[in-house]
Amino acid sequence: MFFRLLSAVRRQRPGRGWRNWSSGRSGVSASEAHSVALPTQAQVVICGGGIMGTSVAYHLSKMGWKDIVLLEQGRLAAGSTRFCAGILSTARHLTIEQKMADYSNKLYHQLEQETGIQTGYIRTGSVFLAQTQDRLISLKRINSRLNVIGIPSEIISPKKVAELHPLLNVHDLVGAMHVPEDAVVSSADVALALASAASQNGVQIYDRTSVLHVMVKKGQVTGVETDKGQIECQYFVNCAGQLLWMLTEGFISGTGRVASCLGALRRTRSPSSLRARTSWRFRICRKTGITLSPC
Ligand SMILES: Cc1cc2nc3c(=O)[nH]c(=O)nc-3n(C[C@H](O)[C@H](O)[C@H](O)COP(=O)(O)OP(=O)(O)OC[C@H]3O[C@@H](n4cnc5c(N)ncnc54)[C@H](O)[C@@H]3O)c2cc1C
């Protein structure tokens, strides 16, 4: 898998801001790559080069944000993102999650064309089985919500399930829901494609660079301390995955220019409004920056 990631990146032309990775590709030794100097200032520092961090970098740069630095302590997409099964399912209970998944599905569908990096996107469709009437009612509710927001799906009979998947035993089924546009991707490759596009848009990406500490003054982020030096910044986006809490614990206040992204970012009304799975709500806004408030 990792070799596949490397070869995927090798196929891609390095972007303007692709630092250690581009050095590695051109045959420069690891020690030389490590000697690449970090900038001392940035508008936004993103910590974590998983699907979350690369997605934030991609979207901020697309929205016109400048001077963004992404820091990854190891290799890009080598955290949880590397182990993800890559199932892109829109069949979720909350409409906001359905919209988010639908947005991701559409984005990933065209990402390969946009970046030239293979993302492993395959529109497989998905079938959700019901063995009880209660489960079928639950699926019918999800089906209605999907249809309301324009995502094709239908409730199907066990006979139709057998036609779609002849190897399935359908004798104990009372029905099922079919979502034909659901897909699978290689999440690590998607992260690399997002990073590549972000890099082309000017985001500076440094792997093998750890954020050690987030500097805060009067409740506001002023910068980050890394193992390669300090970077002053106005905004810090914490996409450190499972290690996220280690960086922000103890200084998150009611409002502040810091955002923590755990699990999937959930879109709210617009692409610029993001919601974390934690109990903190945050918003990335062009004028006021990233703000955070308790839900
Ligand atoms: C087995 C498995 C199957 C899954 N299947 C699915 C699925 O089918 N569909 C789905 O939607 N989701 C699935 N998930 C969940 C999905 O993989 C995760 O939600 C997602 O990958 C999280 O991405 P992330 O960017 O937040 O975290 P990560 O990918 O872990 O990225 C965080 C990055 O931050 C870096 N980092 C941490 N601390 C620092 C620091 N101090 N300085 C610099 N860098 C730092 C880490 O090195 C890491 O690369 C699955 C997860 C697993 C484990």
Side-chain angles (χ1 to χ4, degrees):
M1 169 67 134
F2 196 59
F3 293 110
R4 193 152 64 88
L5 298 185
L6 286 176
S7 60
V9 173
R10 282 195 183 108
R11 281 199 299 275
Q12 181 66 24
R13 256 192 27 229
R16 277 185 289 151
W18 203 291
R19 300 303 156 117
N20 289 356
W21 276 79
S22 53
S23 314
R25 280 197 308 276
S26 58
V28 179
S29 71
S31 57
E32 279 172 285
H34 275 275
S35 68
V36 175
L38 287 183
T40 52
Q41 285 188 325
Q43 189 182 19
V44 184
V45 170
I46 301 166
C47 172
I51 197 147
M52 208 61 63
T54 54
S55 181
V56 169
Y58 173 87
H59 284 95
L60 285 181
S61 63
K62 279 240 156 172
M63 286 158 63
W65 285 60
K66 302 284 176 217
D67 207 9
I68 303 166
V69 172
L70 188 153
L71 305 173
E72 164 55 47
Q73 65 182 1
R75 299 279 188 170
L76 288 181
S80 301
T81 299
R82 182 184 168 192
F83 302 99
C84 176
I87 298 166
L88 254 173
S89 170
T90 46
R92 293 169 183 269
H93 285 279
L94 297 177
T95 305
I96 184 65
E97 289 182 325
Q98 293 174 343
K99 285 185 180 172
M100 180 87 180
D102 187 44
Y103 170 81
S104 301
N105 194 332
K106 290 184 172 120
L107 173 68
Y108 300 165
H109 185 49
Q110 54 84 37
L111 200 59
E112 191 168 319
Q113 207 177 4
E114 182 183 334
T115 63
I117 292 179
Q118 288 174 10
T119 55
Y121 183 99
I122 303 172
R123 186 159 276 172
T124 54
S126 55
V127 176
F128 296 80
L129 307 177
Q131 289 173 300
T132 64
Q133 287 299 336
D134 280 355
R135 163 81 172 153
L136 191 58
I137 289 170
S138 173
L139 289 179
K140 281 179 180 171
R141 288 198 182 115
I142 296 174
N143 181 60
S144 305
R145 274 193 229 111
L146 286 174
N147 291 165
V148 164
I149 60 171
I151 299 173
S153 69
E154 59 174 342
I155 296 297
I156 56 174
S157 64
K159 193 173 160 214
K160 177 84 183 178
V161 175
E163 283 169 26
L164 286 170
H165 291 278
L167 296 178
L168 265 180
N169 178 1
V170 296
H171 293 108
D172 57 350
L173 296 184
V174 292
M177 179 175 73
H178 181 215
V179 188
E181 292 188 0
D182 276 357
V184 291
V185 288
S186 159
S187 53
D189 290 338
V190 168
L192 293 173
L194 291 168
S196 171
S199 170
Q200 299 287 341
N201 288 338
V203 175
Q204 300 176 63
I205 299 175
Y206 297 86
D207 64 358
R208 288 167 283 167
T209 306
S210 294
V211 176
L212 305 176
H213 177 64
V214 183
M215 299 180 292
V216 181
K217 211 172 183 180
K218 293 184 183 166
Q220 295 281 314
V221 169
T222 57
V224 293
E225 193 184 316
T226 79
D227 57 351
K228 312 259 171 69
Q230 286 187 357
I231 307 178
E232 283 177 25
C233 66
Q234 286 173 276
Y235 306 102
F236 173 69
V237 189
N238 189 348
C239 300
Q242 294 182 47
L243 303 173
L244 167 151
W245 60 274
M246 293 175 77
L247 289 169
T248 47
E249 198 182 38
F251 76 78
I252 290 181
S253 58
T255 59
R257 287 172 174 184
V258 60
S260 295
C261 314
L262 181 62
L265 285 179
R266 297 174 180 185
R267 272 186 354 131
T268 51
R269 284 192 195 136
S270 74
S272 61
S273 298
L274 306 170
R275 193 179 166 93
R277 256 188 206 166
T278 58
S279 56
W280 296 91
R281 189 174 50 199
F282 60 87
R283 189 176 176 83
I284 296 181
C285 162
R286 247 179 169 299
K287 283 190 185 147
T288 57
I290 301 165
T291 55
L292 184 83
S293 59
C295 290

